[in-house]
């Protein structure tokens, strides 16, 4: 089964997102748990969440991917921002119990001058306080472009975070194609090599989701600006190899490209046309 979807606005509610996904031939999607640049979250509507779960079951959806707000920085130098990250994380994980089996993706954070080691220690500290044994959500660390003081631009940094977390069976990784390309992992000319390195350092069993984005910037630019599929420095043939790769083809793919709904529908159609059934 090819699980392909895109980022959708959560403003009309859970069931509405499922219906939008169906209307653009998606069979999964990503959404923000709350205002991506702020912190406020709508009140949880358990009936709406249950209706979405039914829609997903009836239409063989892949796992839903909830994305933490960009303002969540678990390794800020500012203790009040780290506290906001802790409270947001805790609240999001509690709410996601209404969407059992979902994935929760977050950017590990930016250490803002404290150094990578301190950053990693602060991220593992928050994870050790928010994860709980009964949770039905898998928390994903996103691979980052290595912009500024971002943690997570190197596979080794994600490995160090995972190693510091007690309930590490609740953790996985979301690989963002734009980010890894910008970070200097050559998925265009050496996808096998990149995946072998991922497997050696993190383990491919941790890889649970792919953000499928082209990049506006050249290889190793450390920029993080997403481009439409086939229109950036990664290109459609590399994307085609990626979605069909034996180590990746079973994973859910989520578009975060600069598109409206019609643009996403066209990209989903394009990717479905180049995915090999076997
Ligand atoms: Fe992200
Ligand atoms: Fe992403
Ligand atoms: Zn990005």
């Amino acid at each position: 089964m090819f699980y392909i979807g895109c980022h959708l606005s959560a403003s009309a509610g859970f069931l509405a997102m499922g219906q939008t996904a169906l209307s653009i031939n998606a069979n999964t999607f990503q959404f923000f748990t709350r205002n991506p640049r702020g912190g406020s979250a709508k009140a949880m509507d358990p009936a709406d969440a249950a209706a979405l779960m039914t829609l997903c079951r009836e239409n063989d959806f892949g796992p839903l991917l909830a994305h933490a707000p960009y303002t969540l920085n678990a390794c800020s130098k500012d203790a009040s921002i780290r506290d906001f990250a802790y409270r947001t994380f805790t609240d999001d994980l509690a709410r996601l119990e209404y969407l059992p089996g979902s994935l929760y993706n977050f950017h590990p954070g930016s250490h803002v001058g404290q150094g990578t080691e301190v950053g990693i220690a602060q991220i593992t500290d928050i994870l050790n306080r928010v994860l709980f044994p009964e949770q039905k959500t898998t928390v994903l660390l996103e691979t980052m472009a290595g912009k500024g003081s971002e943690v997570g631009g190197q596979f080794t940094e994600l490995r160090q975070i995972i190693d510091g977390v007690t309930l590490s069976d609740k953790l996985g990784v979301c690989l963002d194609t734009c980010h890894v390309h910008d970070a200097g992992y050559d998925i265009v000319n050496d996808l096998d090599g990149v995946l072998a390195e991922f497997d050696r350092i993190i383990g491919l069993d941790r890889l649970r989701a792919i953000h499928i984005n082209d990049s506006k910037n050249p290889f190793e630019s450390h920029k993080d600006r997403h481009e439409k599929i086939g229109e950036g420095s990664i290109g459609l043939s590399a994307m085609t190899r990626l979605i069909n790769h034996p180590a990746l083809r079973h994973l859910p793919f989520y578009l975060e490209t600069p598109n409206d709904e019609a643009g996403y529908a066209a990209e989903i159609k394009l990717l479905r046309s180049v995915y090999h059934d076997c």
Side-chain angles (χ1 to χ4, degrees):
M1 180 74 88
F2 182 36
Y3 294 115
I4 177 76
C6 62
H7 186 88
L8 294 176
S9 163
S11 59
F14 291 124
L15 181 61
M17 284 191 283
Q19 288 163 339
T20 299
L22 283 175
S23 76
I24 58 174
N25 206 14
N27 54 1
T28 185
F29 61 89
Q30 173 178 270
F31 61 100
F32 282 121
T33 53
R34 59 188 66 226
N35 180 342
R37 308 213 172 266
S40 58
K42 287 203 302 186
M44 191 62 183
D45 181 346
D48 187 30
L52 172 60
M53 287 289 91
T54 301
L55 178 147
C56 292
R57 217 167 26 246
E58 289 175 351
N59 293 280
D60 296 319
F61 270 39
L64 302 180
L65 181 53
H67 196 304
Y70 294 140
T71 45
L72 188 153
N73 185 3
C75 60
S76 171
K77 203 152 80 177
D78 182 335
S80 70
I81 293 174
R82 293 201 304 277
D83 187 56
F84 167 81
Y86 165 74
R87 286 182 286 112
T88 299
F89 220 124
T90 301
D91 187 49
D92 280 352
L93 287 182
R95 297 153 68 90
L96 285 169
E97 290 299 293
Y98 290 98
L99 298 169
S102 295
L103 306 169
Y104 181 63
N105 176 70
F106 78 109
H107 298 176
S110 291
H111 64 71
V112 281
Q114 303 187 97
T116 307
E117 294 306 312
V118 171
I120 287 169
Q122 290 174 337
I123 296 161
T124 57
D125 173 62
I126 284 196
L127 287 167
N128 279 324
R129 289 189 288 141
V130 300
L131 300 178
F132 56 101
E134 307 80 18
Q135 71 181 63
K136 298 182 191 74
T137 304
T138 300
V139 172
L140 306 184
L141 304 157
E142 182 166 355
T143 60
M144 302 310 291
K147 187 175 68 178
S149 68
E150 268 175 1
V151 178
Q154 298 294 319
F155 295 162
T156 48
E157 294 168 3
L158 299 179
R159 175 78 250 170
Q160 283 179 264
I161 295 169
I162 294 166
D163 282 342
V165 174
T166 307
L167 295 175
S168 62
D169 60 312
K170 309 295 180 194
L171 287 182
V173 171
C174 173
L175 185 145
D176 187 308
T177 55
C178 168
H179 297 179
V180 293
H181 190 250
D182 283 16
Y185 292 100
D186 192 356
I187 57 173
V188 174
N189 302 298
D190 188 20
L191 179 59
D192 282 333
V194 172
L195 294 176
E197 185 172 350
F198 187 101
D199 194 36
R200 182 168 53 81
I201 295 169
I202 300 174
L204 279 168
D205 55 326
R206 293 273 181 193
L207 185 53
R208 301 293 300 277
I210 308 278
H211 280 165
I212 183 162
N213 306 306
D214 214 322
S215 174
K216 282 192 195 293
N217 290 290
F219 178 67
E220 217 166 3
S221 57
H222 301 288
K223 281 286 202 318
D224 186 5
R225 292 202 51 217
H226 302 184
E227 182 54 282
K228 293 178 180 152
I229 300 300
E231 296 184 19
S233 57
I234 298 175
L236 183 58
S237 53
M239 289 300 187
T240 302
R241 287 193 295 277
L242 193 125
I243 62 174
N244 287 291
H245 194 284
L248 307 178
R249 54 182 291 114
H250 62 286
L251 293 169
F253 295 87
Y254 308 84
L255 292 156
E256 302 177 303
T257 45
N259 274 306
D260 57 14
E261 245 166 57
Y264 277 136
E267 284 192 341
I268 289 167
K269 188 175 178 196
L270 171 66
L271 290 172
R272 286 193 181 283
S273 76
V274 298
Y275 186 82
H276 311 143
D277 293 303
C278 54

